Amino acid sequence: MEKASRMLARAAKVLFEELELVEEHGTDVDVAALWAALEEVAPRAAVMTAAATVVALVPEDEG
């Protein structure tokens, strides 16, 4: 859980930074470039597995 959470935090940081750049420059999102930036953190499959791990282990928020 800890490893998966760290990976997701790093991926989220990259995602937010990339989206901020898009917003600042008023450009469209380049999905391929976004995936490339995220894959510098970890392979796409590893990020998806980490997300599935967190979803499986963290209970739903009931309110």
Side-chain angles (χ1 to χ4, degrees):
M1 174 69 161
E2 190 174 316
K3 181 179 177 182
S5 296
R6 273 195 309 273
M7 182 182 302
L8 289 177
R10 288 192 311 269
K13 182 178 184 286
V14 169
L15 175 63
F16 298 151
E17 288 170 350
E18 293 294 318
L19 290 175
E20 283 179 348
L21 288 173
V22 167
E23 185 177 49
E24 286 173 13
H25 296 287
T27 59
D28 291 331
V29 174
D30 180 342
V31 176
L34 186 55
W35 273 119
L38 285 171
E39 287 181 333
E40 288 182 23
V41 170
R44 185 184 308 199
V47 174
M48 300 298 277
T49 298
T53 298
V54 171
V55 167
L57 296 175
V58 176
E60 289 290 324
D61 184 8
E62 297 292 328

